[in-house]
Amino acid sequence: MTDLSCLPPLREVIAEHKLSARKTFGQNFLLDENLTDRIARLAGPLKGYDILEIGPGPGGLTRSLVRAGARKVLCVEIDKRFVPALQPLTSIASVEIVHADALKWNPLGQLNPPIKIVSNLPFNSATPLFAHWLESVDWPPFWTSLTLMFQQETAERILADIGSKSYGRLSVLAQWRTQARLALRVPAAAFVPKPKVNACVIQVRWQEESPDRTNPYILRQITKAAFGQRRKMVRTSLKSLGPDIDSSLKATGIPPDSRPETITVAQFCQLARQLQREREGS
Ligand code: SAM
């Protein structure tokens, strides 16, 4: 195991490099390495895996991923102040830091399978990153599992059951071809600085094969339109998606006067496939 005992405590790293937290980058750090070790353990065995970590910040979780035996940790950090602060870690462990916006940068050339993604995500970019990893056209995706910290409200939306207030686009996306579970609740007080809300670690694994041929792009169009106007009947909110949306809905067994929170994940997928067939003229 790589010995990290020569590294200074995280608080010293922050003080030495004057790393005051910036709200614009969703910077709430975890400085308790027992907690970050626990998150790394939740990601399951890491030996033999390349790990993608978005937003290493001062590097607490990164250190834990190294200690847990990751083959390599590729960190993508938008804030360049952290690059020199992480340098000592890169010289004693297989850690690579890329200064980039994770929403715009493709990590694939720098990772070898099998790959896991483990991150304490910046709250403001968490949903687009998560959607991007789940909406991959190529399936199975490049990753084996996701172990991700979200703010509690987002975690509830990911895990929500049909009919509940939180059931929405993220629930459909997460439950379509993956299994998501709540792995850990983390109180706001665990972060520095303390955010206004609690957080949760969610673990996501994909099922063996894609269960259907649903087009992620059309599924996104449908769920965005339906949950964007969740009080409306779907015959109204989805009107612009097809020439005769009532017939498309009926063909997939969805009553056109349904509200989106009563429609199952399987029905949303069936509707996406129906609209695709109609658009292709078959
Ligand atoms: N992993 C550290 C920890 O647990 O203490 C920091 C987590 S903090 C919640 C989020 C980190 O993501 C910050 O370091 C922030 O600068 C970085 N970040 C924010 N937006 C980003 C983006 N679009 N791409 C890459 N990194 C980003």
Side-chain angles (χ1 to χ4, degrees), residues 69-100:
R71 180 174 59 196
K72 167 180 172 174
V73 186
L74 176 64
C75 301
V76 188
E77 175 55 64
I78 200 167
D79 185 342
K80 67 170 184 287
R81 295 178 304 154
F82 290 92
V83 178
L86 291 162
Q87 219 57 56
L89 181 56
T90 62
S91 44
I92 56 172
S94 180
V95 173
E96 205 177 305
I97 313 290
V98 175
H99 172 224

Side-chain angles (χ1 to χ4, degrees), residues 22 27 46 56 85 105 112 127 139-140 182 184 211 213 226 252 262:
R22 290 187 178 157
Q27 291 176 348
L46 300 185
W105 187 76
N112 287 309
T127 299
W139 201 266
L182 173 66
L184 184 68
R213 287 167 184 272
T252 49
T262 65

Side-chain angles (χ1 to χ4, degrees), residues 187-206:
F191 297 88
V192 178
K194 182 181 164 189
K196 289 201 181 94
V197 292
N198 295 328
C200 296
V201 176
I202 298 279
Q203 172 127 57
V204 178
R205 292 181 191 281
W206 46 267

Side-chain angles (χ1 to χ4, degrees), residues 164-201:
S164 73
K165 217 174 80 200
S166 304
Y167 184 68
R169 181 170 107 78
L170 277 186
S171 337
V172 174
L173 191 55
Q175 295 165 33
W176 164 30
R177 48 187 180 177
T178 57
Q179 281 176 336
R181 72 173 187 100
L182 173 66
L184 184 68
R185 290 183 187 279
V186 182
F191 297 88
V192 178
K194 182 181 164 189
K196 289 201 181 94
V197 292
N198 295 328
C200 296
V201 176

Side-chain angles (χ1 to χ4, degrees), residues 143-160:
W143 47 269
T144 308
S145 68
L146 309 174
T147 305
L148 304 172
M149 178 91 75
F150 290 97
Q151 58 182 356
Q152 188 173 315
E153 193 199 319
T154 311
E156 283 168 0
R157 290 199 282 132
I158 291 168
L159 299 171

Side-chain angles (χ1 to χ4, degrees), residues 25-31 36 53-61 76-79 82 100-103 120-125 129 191:
F25 292 140
Q27 291 176 348
N28 300 96
F29 306 125
L30 292 174
L31 304 183
T36 52
E53 185 194 4
I54 308 302
L61 181 57
V76 188
E77 175 55 64
I78 200 167
D79 185 342
F82 290 92
D101 179 346
L103 289 167
N120 171 14
L121 289 177
F123 289 165
N124 42 5
S125 312
L129 284 167
F191 297 88

